[in-house]
Amino acid sequence: MSENLKSKAELEKPVTLEIEGKKFQYPTLKGTEDEKGFDISALRAQTGYITMDNGYANTSSCQSSITFLDGELGILRYRGIPIEQLAEKSNFIEVSYLLIYGHLPTQSELSQFKADITRHTLVNEDLAHLLSGFPRDAHPMAILSAATCALSTYYQDSLNPADPEQVKQNITRLMAKLPTLAAFAYKTSIGQPKIQPKNDLDYCSNFLRMMFAVPSEEYHVPKEVADALNLLLILHADHEQNCSTSTVRLVGSSAANIYASITGGICALWGPLHGGANQAVMEMLEEIHKDGGDVNKYVGLAKDKNSTFKLMGFGHRVYKNFDPRASIIKKACDQVLNKLGVNNPLLEIAKKLEEAALKDSYFIEKKLYPNVDFYSGIIYSALNIPVNMFTVMFAMGRLPGWIAHWKEMTENTSTKIGRPRQIYTGPTKTDYTPISQRRGK
Ligand code: SDX
């Protein structure tokens, strides 16, 4: 069991708040990257006040040692290792182990982790049949979330979050079966037979074969295609307390099982302001392309308060400078499309859009830069992955991050159930009115 994280942050000089003429002191915590926060756990009991922080933009929900990011400097590190080094030197399974178990695996640890995953990629046939009950045009994220939660019904004897062996088993099952379920969701949506995993393939090749092989014809996964997917999954693997990861933690804080918690994360990721943005970016670029490619018109729309149009793939709650992942993906776009001999006009539109926006005072003042979702869809398209599967790809990448945070939260003995307060603005005390005395239609 990992030690209680409370001991990780240093205690610094307390802060003093003056409320209604009285002074109150609160301990200051300093993280290993000098991030500081003051602990207000006693605030309401001592002062009767609570805090208000729309979208939790200034509020930490936990202490965590998994991922560090610095939005001003464009820094992203998994367990201290810079994303640029992992993108260049590692692979998704090794990065998953690093995030989940806290260190780069030895050769034997990595071989065992890979072998465990390989031997659990099959999905119960009854669950596979369940997917066939969805309408053809069901969004794959709806299928993936339903199937992930349904997975728990096949392992009812090993769902105890407090049992390390059962947790390890379920981590292996989720890492192994999510790609199979994702590919099955795709095959279901196009009315093709599901393709079973093959144990002699690596993680990314296995998924791509399940996506594109058909019973009547084998599909040999080109190495550059598998490598491109491997890079994208690494870049999406974790991002500290983002919306979907915070959702996984909140669901897990009630001692819900790991499948239920991960399902919550999948649902939160689906939103177009979060992981759904990669699909929304491609739809936006398509629209601009069809409309003649006038990027300045759309930059103008994004600035127009009377327009609901947002430049999807731009802006970020934390990155107020460049998103290091976007820089890596942008570079990879040219490399992958050249290697695959793919010419996608949307890439040129994306580059022109970025150039126009980054010269515009609105985007400069509001510190809006391309985020991870802005270019990723260009590569997914080059791999022949359909647009409605883009957010499923994001979920596959983010799975180890969700698991790592759920595990860290579950093992932390000081974890409490998440239950925020509110500032109530509804009606004050009102008596019941019998229906005969109610006015209106
Ligand atoms: C991800 O948190 C994470 O780490 C997420 C993620 C991860 O790896 O988990 O990085 C993945 O979700 C990336 C973000 C993907 N979403 C999008 O690309 C959708 C478009 N972006 C926005 O909706 C927005 O930028 C958010 C949701 C990403 C961030 O929103 P915030 O931090 O709440 O900021 P905001 O919406 O309050 O915007 C600040 C200002 C506003 O203007 P004002 O009200 O101050 O006048 O900037 C404007 C916004 O209107 N603005 C945009 C804009 N994004 C923000 N204007 C035009 N186009 C945009 N894309």
Side-chain angles (χ1 to χ4, degrees), residues 57 69 235-236 238-245 269 271-278 281 301-303 305 309-320 323 325 362-363 366 368 371-374 394 398:
L69 56 96
L235 294 173
H236 286 81
D238 193 48
H239 216 238
E240 55 129 286
Q241 304 307 322
N242 59 85
C243 177
S244 55
T245 301
L269 186 74
L273 296 185
H274 189 14
N278 56 17
V281 167
L301 275 175
K303 293 158 53 178
K305 281 297 164 208
F309 178 80
K310 271 185 188 280
L311 217 46
M312 300 311 277
F314 258 75
H316 199 277
R317 172 63 56 80
V318 176
Y319 288 126
K320 298 307 174 190
D323 179 335
R325 303 166 298 175
Y362 174 92
F363 289 83
K366 291 184 188 298
L368 302 174
N371 57 50
V372 66
D373 294 307
F374 190 63
F394 196 143
R398 186 52 52 88

Side-chain angles (χ1 to χ4, degrees), residues 78-359:
Y78 296 163
R79 301 285 187 183
I81 303 174
I83 191 68
E84 294 80 5
Q85 292 184 27
L86 292 168
E88 189 194 332
K89 300 173 182 170
S90 188
N91 62 70
F92 179 61
I93 292 302
E94 182 178 72
V95 165
S96 299
Y97 188 100
L98 170 70
L99 287 167
I100 295 168
Y101 294 107
H103 63 273
L104 285 172
T106 60
Q107 185 54 62
S108 66
E109 288 169 331
L110 183 59
S111 306
Q112 188 59 58
F113 188 55
K114 272 185 193 166
D116 291 345
I117 288 172
T118 299
R119 307 205 69 76
H120 286 82
T121 49
L122 287 173
V123 163
N124 187 299
E125 275 300 282
D126 295 339
L127 177 54
H129 289 317
L130 183 79
L131 304 192
S132 310
F134 285 93
R136 280 272 179 277
D137 58 352
H139 196 289
M141 283 296 275
I143 301 176
L144 187 69
S145 53
T148 302
C149 203
L151 264 182
S152 62
T153 63
Y154 294 86
Y155 308 112
Q156 298 182 64
D157 60 347
S158 55
L159 294 177
N160 179 1
D163 179 325
E165 197 40 48
Q166 293 184 17
V167 167
K168 186 169 178 290
Q169 276 181 322
N170 291 319
I171 288 173
T172 301
R173 288 166 177 153
L174 277 162
M175 285 298 298
K177 297 177 196 300
L178 208 80
T180 306
L181 291 172
F184 282 8
Y186 171 60
K187 287 297 196 187
T188 301
S189 73
I190 57 173
Q192 280 189 4
K194 301 175 183 69
I195 298 294
Q196 295 299 334
K198 275 188 75 183
N199 287 357
D200 59 351
L201 295 175
D202 65 66
Y203 196 82
C204 291
S205 303
N206 211 355
F207 168 72
L208 290 161
R209 181 182 164 277
M210 288 189 278
M211 283 283 288
F212 300 122
V214 287
S216 46
E217 199 172 303
E218 198 35 77
Y219 171 73
H220 295 293
V221 182
K223 183 177 179 316
E224 50 271 10
V225 172
D227 289 350
L229 178 58
N230 196 47
L231 171 66
L232 288 171
L233 295 181
I234 289 173
L235 294 173
H236 286 81
D238 193 48
H239 216 238
E240 55 129 286
Q241 304 307 322
N242 59 85
C243 177
S244 55
T245 301
S246 299
T247 304
V248 170
R249 280 181 170 261
L250 192 58
V251 173
S253 72
S254 73
N257 68 65
I258 191 169
Y259 298 95
S261 306
I262 298 296
T263 301
I266 294 173
C267 295
L269 186 74
W270 192 359
L273 296 185
H274 189 14
N278 56 17
Q279 175 174 345
V281 167
M282 289 305 276
E283 290 161 354
M284 173 187 75
L285 293 174
E286 284 286 359
E287 185 188 338
I288 296 173
H289 183 49
K290 282 200 192 96
D291 189 22
D294 178 359
V295 293
N296 293 313
K297 171 183 167 187
Y298 287 85
V299 169
L301 275 175
K303 293 158 53 178
D304 178 357
K305 281 297 164 208
N306 300 320
S307 147
T308 54
F309 178 80
K310 271 185 188 280
L311 217 46
M312 300 311 277
F314 258 75
H316 199 277
R317 172 63 56 80
V318 176
Y319 288 126
K320 298 307 174 190
N321 199 327
F322 66 99
D323 179 335
R325 303 166 298 175
S327 310
I328 296 170
I329 294 176
K330 181 180 177 183
K331 210 186 302 165
C333 272
D334 288 321
Q335 293 160 356
V336 171
L337 270 64
N338 289 339
K339 270 188 198 165
L340 298 178
V342 169
N343 173 27
N344 186 340
L346 300 187
L347 176 56
E348 287 323 305
I349 289 185
K351 286 180 178 175
K352 277 168 56 184
L353 194 54
E354 176 188 9
E355 193 187 339
L358 296 189
K359 278 194 287 204

